Amino acid sequence: MRIRQKQAELALLLGMAAAVFCAGFCGFAQDYKDITDTVFRLHILANSDSDADQQLKLKVRDAVLENCSCIFEGAESAEEAAEAARSHMTEIQRTAERVIAENGADYPVRCEVTEMEFDKRIYDSITMPAGRYQALRLTIGSAEGKNWWCVMFPPLCLPAVTDTDEALEEFNGVFTEEELDMLSNAENYECRFYFLELYRKIKDKICA
């Protein structure tokens, strides 16, 4: 009788622990989704990994950030930033094509706003978790080289933002305190990020 009682108590404790874990994990998963839904990224893929092509990628990056940053001024959400990019796609593409031509290359360049998968990326003291984000994507030529990325909204890589402290100020009001903690102290969430990534991979395979 006593053994059955202990088993019942153990089952109850395990059930309570599982409920607490699930509640905490669900909250974490929602914060994670809020981050990926709130961010609009820039992704540039070089023609190849040759030194010349990698340098060309960076020149395209510099021109796009310098000449097109005003496009995103006033954007108050990732969707507004995405819509601004769509509305000025011709201007962005011409900027990239001009830089490529000025550097003696004839690669085609494709510009699009898309939703794409990103690995975990570290930008100084800020960590962007892996996941699917909306992005302005520029692919140069064969697009077989290393990529370059940054965050366009909230503005992390625009010329007006000079350091990560200033970037975190930009993030205030966009992210909750919990989300800011996830971005600036990602090492404290490694285990939960791991299980969330595992869950996403399993879900993608099942839904494929």
Side-chain angles (χ1 to χ4, degrees):
M1 189 71 160
R2 199 175 276 180
I3 294 176
R4 288 184 179 178
Q5 184 177 355
K6 285 185 177 181
Q7 288 176 336
E9 289 174 351
L10 179 60
L12 179 61
L13 286 173
L14 289 173
M16 291 174 64
V20 170
F21 174 80
C22 288
F25 188 76
C26 288
F28 172 80
Q30 184 59 52
D31 287 339
Y32 162 87
K33 186 176 186 305
D34 288 343
I35 288 175
T36 58
D37 287 349
T38 299
V39 171
F40 182 68
R41 303 176 73 154
L42 171 64
H43 183 259
I44 304 177
L45 198 55
N47 177 68
S48 76
D49 281 337
S50 72
D51 290 342
D53 284 344
Q54 286 297 311
Q55 287 300 314
L56 181 59
K57 174 192 70 179
L58 298 180
K59 289 177 180 179
V60 169
R61 171 203 67 185
D62 292 344
V64 168
L65 291 179
E66 181 178 353
N67 299 331
C68 302
S69 60
C70 60
I71 292 171
F72 301 96
E73 289 179 1
E76 297 183 355
S77 68
E79 191 51 54
E80 287 187 13
E83 187 55 40
R86 292 187 190 98
S87 299
H88 294 83
M89 196 63 68
T90 300
E91 178 183 345
I92 296 169
Q93 179 146 349
R94 285 176 179 170
T95 296
E97 289 172 343
R98 174 178 54 78
V99 172
I100 291 170
E102 287 175 352
N103 284 271
D106 61 354
Y107 303 137
V109 59
R110 180 182 179 187
C111 302
E112 61 180 333
V113 171
T114 185
E115 187 176 283
M116 58 181 292
E117 199 74 30
F118 282 85
D119 293 331
K120 180 181 80 172
R121 301 296 178 93
I122 299 173
Y123 186 97
D124 290 340
S125 61
I126 298 171
T127 300
M128 282 290 154
R132 293 189 69 79
Y133 293 81
Q134 281 198 96
L136 169 61
R137 189 168 192 250
L138 281 70
T139 52
I140 302 172
S142 299
E144 295 177 351
K146 292 184 178 68
N147 67 74
W148 182 90
W149 71 274
C150 73
V151 175
M152 299 298 282
F153 182 88
L156 181 58
C157 62
L158 297 181
V161 178
T162 57
D163 55 41
T164 51
D165 288 336
E166 187 174 345
L168 284 172
E169 289 181 12
E170 294 282 351
F171 284 12
N172 282 323
V174 177
F175 297 110
T176 65
E177 289 186 11
E178 291 79 7
E179 291 161 3
L180 282 172
D181 191 53
M182 287 170 63
L183 292 170
S184 55
N185 298 291
E187 66 278 2
N188 297 334
Y189 299 90
E190 286 295 334
C191 184
R192 279 178 279 184
F193 276 129
Y194 171 79
F195 281 109
L196 188 57
E197 281 303 293
L198 186 62
Y199 167 75
R200 290 179 63 241
K201 288 178 181 177
I202 293 172
K203 181 181 176 183
D204 289 343
K205 284 185 179 179
I206 292 173
C207 296

